[in-house]
Amino acid sequence: MVEQLKQLKRKVLIVEDEPINRKILETILDNDYEGIFARDGVEAVETIREQSDLLSLVLLDLLMPDMDGFEVLKFMKEDKVLKQIPVIVCTSEKDEEVKCLKLGAVDFIAKPYDHPAVIKARIDRAIEIREDRGLIHATQNDSLTGLLSHDYFMEYSHFRDLHYNNNPMDAIVMNINKFHLINELQGKRAGDDILIKIAESVKKIAKENGGIAGRSGSDEFLLYIPSGSDPEAILQKIENGIEDMLNNSRVYIRMGIYKNVNKDLTVEHRFDKARIACNSIRGVYSTQISVYDEDMSEREALNERLIHDMKSGIENHQFKVYYQPKYAIQGERDSLYGAEALVRWDHPELGLLRPDNFIPLFEENGLIHKLDHYVWDEVSKQVGEWMVNFDLKIPVSVNVSRIDIGAPDLEEEIFTVVQNNWISPGMLNLEITESAYTENSDQIIKVVTKLRDKGFSIEMDDFGTGYSSLNMITSIPLDILKLDMAFVKNIHEGNKDMKMVELMMDIARSLKVRVVAEGVENQEQYDLLKKAGCDVIQGFYFAMPCAPKEFEKLIQRENEEMEEEIKAALG
Ligand code: C2E
Ligand code: CA
Ligand code: CA
């Protein structure tokens, strides 16, 4: 990298009133530097002010009309930025040297210029010293991968732009989905090896494209490269590099690109935008590349607001629990079997927000646990009330986020919630998404076993999307399988999705667990699922998620139908 930067042409300002001397100095620079000129002190000061960012060195004649070299030095010394630019004074007066040093000059060249090679060497050295000193405060390389560290990367990118300002550039941020799991499951050494390998590829890609590579944070990689490269190809190269290190697990790298960066923004800011794009596909396994657009910034601002408002939202009971009924369909009549509690946020300014708007966000930063605890408590309270007022006998299911699984003593926590509300664990079922099982099966099996020991029933949510192996599913303790909506959506007599559903029904039968199908919207789906032996159905076919008052009507109706049934049975 340092080598690469050395090849960039730096600008040297030659301040000389005599044309012949200007020419000589330019020749000495020998195409290694780009010489620009000022004919007197006034012009020099103007140029220095305008191009302070771009100047690597000033060669300053002392004796000039209007404003002389001393005054230029004085002017530069008084400015925090300008005094960083090294100045070599060109003079025939030995006596002036001390005065110039005091004013901040770094070296002297004696006139007449009869040792070009020496002069050139002094110019090189002055520039080198200055650049080394300027960059030394940042730790240059990341110790694990040898890539440029964050601060150094930012500085170099800035530098690069100064020299190639017209070049359109892309800022790319790459991150590994759930990298911590690799560390946990395969050990830190394996994690480090993967990072090193990725770094190698990233470095190579930077080199091939004439860009800059860096690493910031444990699993975040940065690329600053000329526009026009193919992101798919870059991703492919990196993934190929680590392919045989993964023993069967998959590492998903996601990539956010801010194309053709606006160079009025700081480098840091440009990479913030790339990072926003990258984070917009966090946890979305079907998409690995995301290109930044301005909507994302709005979304990001909204997210920040939601995170900020969440605490007061809980305190002020803005989170409302809706209930969607589940019906058992294999009996004489369809009977109310249970319900799922689904949260909504009645935000004072933003209106009623669906969970998709905030649940994934709160999962990202761990806030979800607080919200889920609140929901468990609200639901337990509600269930207790309904038991007293309506003789409610059906359980209500709550969602337990994958993040909650990591909470210490989760079983004690939820048990305490139901106890405090005077209901039994049998009245609060727990839905846990299948993908949580595949991500961290050992831990989840432990937690789920403890929860069942406490008396809770476990429903495996979104079954069919988490890719559990048959082998695994038989060793997981659970009570109910919930078929994912995606299967239900496209079922027709004899088609592929229907065959999948039948297969899952077989699995359920062999595990001796009940099956709930969700997202059932129409008669055809209902009929097919009933025929396939599905026990319970949830979906718009019966009812949308509804507010507690609405749900009470469903309980009442169920109670009435039951009474009629009993009456009929008694004759
Ligand atoms: P989920 O657990 O898979 O919940 C089922 C979603 O399907 C609900 O969306 C429900 O309203 C919707 N749905 C029900 N029947 C139908 C139907 O027939 N057709 C269609 N198209 N959709 C139907 P909702 O309420 O927007 O919730 C979305 C997701 O948010 C839930 O997916 C769940 O993962 C999460 N969520 C909701 N409440 C909570 C909560 O309190 N805690 C946690 N951790 N997650 C929650
Ligand atoms: Ca659910
Ligand atoms: Ca579900």
Side-chain angles (χ1 to χ4, degrees):
M1 176 55 56
V2 176
E3 279 317 304
Q4 208 171 329
L5 268 177
K6 290 217 167 104
Q7 289 156 17
L8 300 175
K9 268 203 188 171
R10 288 156 175 69
K11 273 190 190 172
V12 173
L13 174 64
I14 300 171
V15 190
E16 247 304 341
D17 56 333
E18 291 188 45
I20 177 72
N21 283 341
R22 285 206 293 271
K23 194 72 214 159
I24 294 172
L25 286 172
E26 195 186 10
T27 315
I28 291 174
L29 294 182
D30 185 29
N31 269 333
D32 283 353
Y33 302 98
E34 181 190 341
I36 55 172
F37 306 94
R39 272 162 305 186
D40 55 48
V42 178
E43 221 180 284
V45 164
E46 231 165 66
T47 312
I48 292 168
R49 224 198 248 132
E50 272 169 17
Q51 308 207 28
S52 62
D53 258 2
L54 293 164
L55 284 181
S56 292
L57 180 79
V58 178
L59 292 174
L60 182 66
D61 182 21
L62 276 187
L63 302 174
M64 292 176 296
D66 290 340
M67 186 179 183
D68 67 17
F70 294 112
E71 283 172 87
V72 174
L73 278 172
K74 252 186 239 155
F75 167 80
M76 290 176 74
K77 195 178 179 210
E78 276 157 22
D79 186 295
K80 247 193 358 233
V81 176
L82 302 186
K83 78 174 182 202
Q84 309 286 335
I85 305 169
V87 179
I88 297 181
V89 171
C90 312
T91 176
S92 46
E93 317 280 315
K94 261 276 172 226
D95 309 349
E96 309 288 17
E97 289 189 3
V98 176
K99 193 171 166 200
C100 290
L101 280 177
K102 281 196 178 144
L103 285 171
V106 297
D107 202 355
F108 298 92
I109 305 173
K111 280 183 176 180
Y113 306 124
D114 23 312
H115 298 290
V118 175
I119 295 173
K120 173 75 181 343
R122 297 177 98 146
I123 290 172
D124 289 342
R125 201 186 54 143
I127 291 177
E128 222 166 317
I129 290 173
R130 158 70 192 104
E131 286 181 0
D132 283 351
R133 200 183 31 180
L135 294 173
I136 220 135
H137 65 266
T139 328
Q140 180 166 345
N141 294 103
D142 157 44
S143 60
L144 179 68
T145 64
L147 285 182
L148 292 180
S149 64
H150 174 272
D151 291 358
Y152 211 61
F153 173 87
M154 295 296 162
E155 260 186 81
Y156 260 149
S157 300
H158 173 67
F159 233 133
R160 192 192 185 291
D161 282 346
L162 294 180
H163 292 280
Y164 293 117
N165 201 28
N166 297 326
N167 224 342
M169 299 293 286
D170 294 346
I172 300 180
V173 167
M174 283 166 288
N175 202 304
I176 307 171
N177 276 344
K178 308 241 161 51
F179 179 70
H180 67 100
L181 281 181
I182 300 177
N183 279 335
E184 278 161 31
L185 300 177
Q186 304 189 30
K188 193 166 171 322
R189 259 309 288 275
D192 283 354
D193 287 345
I194 289 173
L195 292 176
I196 291 169
K197 200 81 195 173
I198 293 176
E200 267 173 31
S201 307
V202 174
K203 212 182 290 179
K204 219 165 128 202
I205 291 161
K207 201 165 170 206
E208 286 165 4
N209 290 278
I212 299 175
R215 174 179 177 230
S216 75
S218 71
D219 60 342
E220 184 176 277
F221 294 88
L222 309 171
L223 259 180
Y224 193 54
I225 55 176
S227 300
S229 62
D230 174 8
E232 303 266 356
I234 292 178
L235 197 64
Q236 194 62 52
K237 258 185 211 159
I238 297 173
E239 293 201 330
N240 287 348
I242 50 173
E243 204 170 35
D244 36 303
M245 308 175 72
L246 297 175
N247 47 54
N248 291 330
S249 56
R250 225 200 126 174
V251 170
Y252 286 89
I253 294 171
R254 58 180 200 278
M255 183 187 242
I257 310 174
Y258 172 36
K259 285 194 169 166
N260 190 7
V261 301
N262 175 356
K263 292 194 182 160
D264 294 336
L265 303 173
T266 62
V267 180
E268 196 86 44
H269 199 157
R270 297 172 211 166
F271 277 87
D272 285 345
K273 287 179 185 270
R275 190 171 298 108
I276 288 172
C278 187
N279 286 342
S280 74
I281 48 170
R282 175 187 265 150
V284 182
Y285 292 89
S286 51
T287 322
Q288 285 179 267
I289 297 172
S290 163
V291 177
Y292 175 83
D293 66 54
E294 289 301 326
D295 289 350
M296 287 180 183
S297 273
E298 268 170 45
R299 178 73 230 186
E300 185 78 1
L302 178 66
N303 283 351
E304 268 161 33
R305 163 139 197 224
L306 294 180
I307 290 167
H308 175 266
D309 293 352
M310 186 250 188
K311 200 165 159 250
S312 64
I314 289 202
E315 279 160 11
N316 300 318
H317 288 263
Q318 290 164 9
F319 290 95
K320 311 284 183 209
V321 181
Y322 278 49
Y323 295 84
Q324 188 176 33
K326 300 174 180 177
Y327 282 88
I329 57 167
Q330 296 293 351
E332 290 279 300
R333 66 176 175 90
D334 297 338
S335 59
L336 190 60
Y337 170 87
E340 177 177 10
L342 294 156
V343 72
R344 276 97 184 85
W345 186 353
D346 194 2
H347 192 284
E349 277 115 40
L350 302 170
L352 198 67
L353 302 175
R354 300 271 316 244
D356 299 347
N357 290 305
F358 54 88
I359 298 277
L361 176 68
F362 291 168
E363 285 189 328
E364 250 171 52
N365 52 29
L367 283 175
I368 189 68
H369 186 67
K370 199 162 181 222
L371 176 60
D372 277 348
H373 186 101
Y374 171 87
V375 172
W376 304 333
D377 192 51
E378 288 290 295
V379 172
S380 301
K381 212 172 277 155
Q382 184 62 262
V383 166
E385 226 176 80
W386 283 337
M387 286 173 77
V388 173
N389 296 347
F390 299 94
D391 192 24
L392 175 90
K393 295 197 182 68
I394 58 162
V396 174
S397 310
V398 291
N399 288 285
V400 175
S401 160
R402 69 187 77 227
I403 308 299
D404 302 328
I405 303 295
D409 303 324
L410 184 70
E411 72 286 353
E412 285 300 335
E413 180 187 340
I414 308 185
F415 188 69
T416 307
V417 170
V418 295
Q419 259 190 334
N420 288 347
N421 289 292
W422 304 96
I423 67 169
S424 78
M427 290 302 283
L428 195 76
N429 288 2
L430 309 177
E431 296 192 7
I432 303 174
T433 186
E434 185 197 8
S435 57
Y437 288 84
T438 29
E439 274 164 22
N440 196 351
S441 48
D442 290 347
Q443 198 203 1
I444 203 165
I445 289 174
K446 262 187 230 151
V447 174
V448 164
T449 307
K450 285 194 258 182
L451 284 166
R452 288 177 90 222
D453 289 347
K454 286 274 184 206
F456 293 103
S457 288
I458 307 295
E459 305 185 26
M460 188 190 262
D461 204 357
D462 312 316
F463 182 62
T465 58
Y467 308 106
S468 19
S469 59
L470 272 182
N471 177 7
M472 186 185 143
I473 194 98
T474 51
S475 60
I476 291 176
L478 60 99
D479 304 278
I480 292 167
L481 277 184
K482 276 191 93 171
L483 287 189
D484 189 65
M485 275 195 256
F487 293 102
V488 174
K489 197 169 159 195
N490 298 313
I491 49 173
H492 297 288
E493 185 82 56
N495 77 350
K496 207 168 132 227
D497 282 38
M498 191 60 217
K499 295 218 171 81
M500 282 298 290
V501 168
E502 282 159 0
L503 178 70
M504 289 190 266
M505 297 298 310
D506 284 342
I507 295 172
R509 262 189 290 272
S510 72
L511 296 174
K512 302 195 170 59
V513 296
R514 286 224 162 88
V515 174
V516 177
E518 68 179 323
V520 179
E521 294 182 352
N522 58 44
Q523 189 70 43
E524 185 193 5
Q525 293 164 341
Y526 170 92
D527 291 338
L528 286 170
L529 288 162
K530 186 166 180 168
K531 203 168 105 194
C534 179
D535 307 279
V536 176
I537 271 178
Q538 174 186 348
F540 300 167
Y541 175 77
F542 283 112
M544 308 262 263
C546 51
K549 279 275 163 282
E550 285 299 305
F551 191 76
E552 285 171 9
K553 291 184 192 153
L554 300 179
I555 305 174
Q556 271 172 315
R557 196 171 77 198
E558 178 64 25
N559 286 347
E560 283 159 20
E561 282 181 13
M562 217 152 51
E563 266 167 44
E564 269 167 40
E565 233 174 8
I566 294 168
K567 258 192 235 152
L570 294 175

